[in-house]
């Protein structure tokens, strides 16, 4: 299917164009304490108030493949949206991903297949001129999680393997054995979530332009992800805006018997401590299946910054994509 023009006048430009989502979240006590970063220097910023309502972008949209969506990302330069999922029929641990491009009404634009890359819980999109470069995990291990990072141009209809010459691959942390990433498109930063064997998950923050040239020096923050007092231990995505990291946890209605346990938490990346949450999110509470899947940041043409929350819906063999957002900064 042919590409549509970049969405410079997208329906994201005004919150009033979308009906309200599931209503207010209920604040819960955040008990997580992380080790403070040794020399964090992320410039201060406002953070999203997670207790405020969520609004619909779209519901029940079809992706290229029929599996549950994982992470998603916005190219904030070219106004593009990308969603990751496992390739139809692929092993759950093989790391074969499909990246679908949608427009902001949720209409199909194009896709890529990435074979042996990873799980897809989070990835980033970076606008470079009229092109979009994706940042993903790559070289999946036996559990289906990437062991390095990759950067490459999104090309509709293309299939890439892990040895493709079109990939730039990186391992920015010498002690890490697994990687995922996200992009703060407002502040042009690369957020890397990495695993250290025996020590769990850590977060590192890099300048995006420097990282694009393979330079991971001058780390803005590097800290161990704090433990969280969440209702579910299932990690479902993360992103960052300014000084704050946002993480989402929760399970599908198939697991909870229809009870909402999806929560969002904000973490101060300069201290490694919880800033707000965990906060229950009822966005899309009437969806069928409703599994929380992914977080991302987008800034509208007129400057409003939004924290997007993703959910999968539908039945096995016909899963659908759903996106909601919060927009109140404090």
């Amino acid at each position: 299917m042919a590409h549509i023009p970049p969405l410079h006048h997208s329906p994201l430009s005004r919150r009033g164009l979308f009906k309200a989502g599931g209503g207010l979240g209920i604040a819960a006590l955040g008990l997580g304490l992380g080790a403070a970063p040794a020399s964090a220097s992320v410039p201060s910023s406002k953070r999203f108030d997670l207790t405020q309502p969520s609004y619909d972008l779209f519901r029940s949209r079809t992706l290229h493949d029929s599996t549950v969506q994982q992470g998603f990302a916005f190219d904030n330069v070219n106004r593009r949206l990308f969603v990751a999922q496992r390739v139809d029929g692929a092993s759950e641990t093989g790391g074969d991903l499909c990246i679908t491009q949608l427009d902001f009404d949720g209409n199909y634009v194009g896709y890529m297949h990435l074979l042996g890359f990873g799980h897809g819980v989070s990835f980033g999109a970076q606008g470079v001129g009229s092109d979009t470069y994706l940042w993903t995990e790559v070289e999946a291990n036996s559990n289906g999680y990437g062991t390095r990072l990759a950067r490459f141009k999104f090309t509709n209809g293309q299939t890439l393997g892990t040895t493709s010459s079109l990939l730039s691959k990186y391992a920015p942390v010498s002690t890490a054995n697994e990687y995922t990433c996200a992009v703060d498109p407002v502040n042009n930063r690369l957020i890397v979530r990495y695993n250290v064997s025996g020590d769990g998950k850590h977060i590192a923050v890099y300048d995006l332009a420097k990282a694009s040239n393979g330079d991971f020096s001058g780390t803005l923050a590097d800290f161990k992800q704090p433990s969280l007092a969440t209702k579910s231990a299932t990690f479902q995505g993360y992103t960052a805006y300014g000084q704050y990291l946002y993480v989402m946890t929760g399970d599908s209605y198939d697991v909870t018997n229809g009870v909402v346990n999806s929560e969002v938490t904000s973490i101060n990346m300069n201290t490694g401590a919880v800033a707000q949450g965990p906060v229950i999110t009822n966005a899309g509470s009437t969806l069928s299946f409703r599994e929380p899947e992914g977080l991302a940041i987008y800034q509208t043409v007129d400057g409003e910054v939004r924290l997007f929350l993703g959910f999968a819906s539908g039945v096995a063999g016909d899963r659908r994509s759903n996106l909601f957002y919060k927009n109140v900064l404090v």
Side-chain angles (χ1 to χ4, degrees):
M1 186 176 292
H3 287 284
I4 62 171
L7 302 173
H8 294 291
H9 301 288
S10 74
L12 284 181
S13 61
R14 277 287 173 226
R15 110 179 186 185
L17 294 177
F18 306 111
K19 58 189 176 182
L24 294 174
I26 301 171
L29 181 63
L31 300 177
L33 293 175
S39 57
S41 56
V42 183
S44 62
S45 70
K46 292 185 176 182
R47 61 174 173 82
F48 289 96
D49 184 349
L50 302 177
T51 67
Q52 294 301 306
S54 298
Y55 301 92
D56 290 35
L57 178 61
F58 56 69
R59 298 189 183 211
S60 194
R61 295 302 191 260
T62 302
L63 302 176
H64 181 272
D65 286 6
S66 61
T67 55
V68 167
Q69 75 172 59
Q70 298 293 330
F72 61 98
F74 291 96
D75 171 350
N76 218 117
V77 173
N78 295 296
R79 310 292 171 184
R80 295 173 182 150
L81 166 63
F82 303 89
V83 184
Q85 63 185 148
R86 178 169 50 87
V87 170
D88 282 348
S91 163
E92 292 190 3
T93 58
D96 294 346
L97 294 176
C98 177
I99 306 292
T100 300
Q101 183 184 350
L102 301 175
D103 69 20
F104 289 176
D105 291 320
N107 299 311
Y108 177 88
V109 178
Y111 81 101
M112 288 186 76
H113 277 163
L114 311 175
L115 304 183
F117 274 55
H119 184 74
V121 66
S122 184
F123 68 102
Q126 176 187 12
V128 181
S130 61
D131 295 322
T132 300
Y133 280 78
L134 300 183
W135 285 84
T136 71
E137 61 197 300
V138 71
E139 297 181 3
N141 59 21
S142 60
N143 294 319
Y145 292 90
T147 57
R148 300 179 74 184
L149 294 178
R151 181 179 180 269
F152 55 92
K153 186 169 77 171
F154 178 86
T155 303
N156 186 20
Q158 189 172 66
T159 296
L160 294 181
T162 60
T163 61
S164 172
S165 62
L166 299 176
L167 303 177
S168 297
K169 294 191 284 189
Y170 308 107
V173 181
S174 62
T175 56
N177 61 356
E178 291 177 354
Y179 291 94
T180 57
C181 63
V183 166
D184 174 349
V186 180
N187 297 286
N188 293 309
R189 295 177 191 136
L190 180 69
I191 316 302
V192 176
R193 185 173 184 253
Y194 65 93
N195 187 73
V196 176
S197 183
D199 193 38
K201 303 295 184 182
H202 295 245
I203 302 292
V205 183
Y206 303 95
D207 176 85
L208 181 59
K210 290 172 63 177
S212 299
N213 291 316
D215 182 357
F216 291 89
S217 63
T219 309
L220 294 170
D222 191 340
F223 62 97
K224 186 173 181 179
Q225 181 180 300
S227 58
L228 304 174
T230 52
K231 298 180 183 298
S232 169
T234 307
F235 188 89
Q236 297 285 19
Y238 68 98
T239 193
Y241 168 62
Q243 184 181 346
Y244 296 93
L245 179 78
Y246 299 88
V247 302
M248 184 156 65
T249 58
D251 302 290
S252 72
Y253 282 163
D254 285 9
V255 173
T256 68
N257 293 316
V259 176
V260 171
N261 72 354
S262 51
E263 295 172 293
V264 183
T265 304
S266 61
I267 297 167
N268 185 332
M269 296 192 293
N270 282 326
T271 65
V274 169
Q276 184 184 25
V279 176
I280 284 282
T281 175
N282 287 301
S285 61
T286 60
L287 296 173
S288 63
F289 181 70
R290 190 187 180 274
E291 183 172 15
E293 297 285 2
L295 294 173
I297 296 294
Y298 179 78
Q299 186 174 37
T300 67
V301 174
D302 50 354
E304 182 180 275
V305 183
R306 297 176 174 179
L307 171 65
F308 273 85
L309 300 79
F311 293 86
S313 65
V315 298
D318 187 22
R319 301 299 191 195
R320 301 299 181 93
S321 176
N322 306 266
L323 295 188
F324 306 87
Y325 67 91
K326 294 180 181 292
N327 59 359
V328 177
L329 291 165
V330 293

